[in-house]
């Protein structure tokens, strides 16, 4: 099992770090963001632990998004939002991005991969678009990546769920123009996903591929929404880590 190490600098958000490698030897820093489901933080810990064991020379850090807590009662400061796609606001995105900057100081020779599931996949895409160069790669899983259209879709499914309320969340499709040209992306979605159907991932994947972003887009035909710990997601993360050019001292 990977060891849990404290970050070198205090972070804004609660974090856990899993690694089989000494910090000075880490070549892949993988930051994991959880989704909105009640057990999503636990899912992210499971993914992080497994990834740290499978991906060579890696450190895998989970961040609790602003206002969220885990099953052990750990909590990040800030306001959570209503879990309707309303929490992808510039201030929350900035908070996560600032912590990634701090983590990069601990592993200066590492490539940085950001992994997000569901709403956090959209947050990862927004970070890539608003802070070009912050990350080297991203893995987006079950992404509502055309956010206004997704919220409209969800409002139709759940008219009383608050999805139609105003929001200043950033739409990944609109921020895609800021993605660094040498970044790489893996995008995975279940073919039977009724929460974030495949079209919301496909449209975004096509948009960034047209901009020249190296994009590995995959539909898992028999899978639904909860695929964060599917072997295909871990394999995609491993492939992405292996494909990135190593930083030199």
């Amino acid at each position: 099992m990977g060891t849990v190490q404290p970050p070198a600098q205090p972070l804004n958000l609660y974090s856990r770090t899993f690694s089989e490698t000494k910090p000075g030897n880490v070549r892949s820093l993988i930051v994991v963001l959880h989704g909105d489901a009640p057990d999503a933080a636990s899912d992210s810990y499971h993914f992080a632990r497994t990834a740290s064991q499978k991906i060579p020379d890696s450190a895998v850090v989970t961040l609790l998004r602003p206002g969220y807590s885990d099953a052990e009662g750990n909590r990040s400061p800030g306001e959570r939002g209503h879990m309707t796609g309303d929490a992808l606001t510039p201030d929350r995105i900035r908070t996560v991005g600032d912590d990634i900057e701090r983590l990069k100081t601990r592993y200066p020779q590492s490539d940085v991969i950001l992994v997000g599931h569901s709403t956090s996949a959209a947050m990862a895409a927004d970070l890539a678009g608003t802070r070009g160069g912050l990350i080297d790669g991203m893995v987006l899983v079950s992404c509502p990546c055309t956010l206004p259209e997704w919220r409209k879709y969800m409002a139709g499914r759940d008219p009383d769920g608050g999805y139609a309320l105003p929001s200043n969340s950033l739409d990944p499709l609109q921020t895609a123009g800021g993605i660094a040209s040498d970044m790489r992306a893996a995008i995975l979605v279940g073919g039977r996903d009724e929460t974030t159907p495949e079209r919301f991932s496909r449209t975004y994947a096509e948009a960034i591929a047209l901009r020249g972003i190296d994009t590995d887009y995959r539909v898992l035909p028999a899978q639904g929404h909860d695929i964060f710990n599917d072997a295909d997601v871990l394999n995609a993360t491993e492939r992405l880590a292996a494909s990135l050019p190593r930083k030199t001292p």
Side-chain angles (χ1 to χ4, degrees), residues 99-112:
D99 274 359
I100 293 173
E101 292 280 14
R102 292 183 175 94
L103 288 167
K104 288 173 70 170
T105 66
R106 179 170 184 169
Y107 307 102
Q109 306 307 321
S110 299
D111 298 311
V112 183

Side-chain angles (χ1 to χ4, degrees), residues 24 45 52 56 82 107 120 123 142 185 189 196 210 219 235 239:
Y45 298 155
S52 72
H82 297 95
Y107 307 102
S120 285
M123 177 175 275
S142 309
V189 61
T196 55
L210 284 172
V219 179
N235 291 339
R239 286 193 302 271

Side-chain angles (χ1 to χ4, degrees), residues 192-215:
R192 298 182 179 178
D193 188 340
E194 296 183 358
T195 302
T196 55
E198 186 261 343
R199 64 182 182 272
F200 299 118
S201 291
R202 182 183 66 248
T203 299
Y204 182 77
E206 290 172 347
I208 64 173
L210 284 172
R211 292 196 61 253
I213 306 301
D214 188 326
T215 305

Side-chain angles (χ1 to χ4, degrees), residues 55-179:
I55 298 174
D57 303 327
S58 66
V60 188
V61 182
T62 62
L63 294 177
L64 277 183
R65 288 161 50 198
Y68 280 83
S69 58
D70 63 17
E72 291 78 39
N74 303 297
R75 183 182 183 278
S76 285
E79 296 296 325
R80 186 183 70 177
H82 297 95
M83 299 188 294
T84 60
D86 65 324
L88 307 184
T89 56
D91 58 324
R92 294 178 176 97
I93 292 169
R94 183 165 49 251
T95 296
V96 174
D98 287 349
D99 274 359
I100 293 173
E101 292 280 14
R102 292 183 175 94
L103 288 167
K104 288 173 70 170
T105 66
R106 179 170 184 169
Y107 307 102
Q109 306 307 321
S110 299
D111 298 311
V112 183
I113 298 172
L114 184 56
V115 183
H117 176 247
S118 195
T119 338
S120 285
M123 177 175 275
D126 279 331
L127 267 168
T130 58
R131 294 176 77 154
L134 176 68
I135 61 175
D136 302 291
M138 62 182 177
V139 180
L140 310 182
V141 185
S142 309
C143 186
C145 275
T146 56
L147 194 67
E149 288 77 10
W150 175 74
R151 296 188 80 219
K152 183 178 180 180
Y153 162 78
M154 289 299 293
R157 296 188 72 204
D158 183 9
D160 298 321
Y163 291 94
L165 294 175
S167 166
N168 65 337
S169 287
L170 300 183
D171 177 14
L173 198 59
Q174 297 301 314
T175 63
I179 297 176

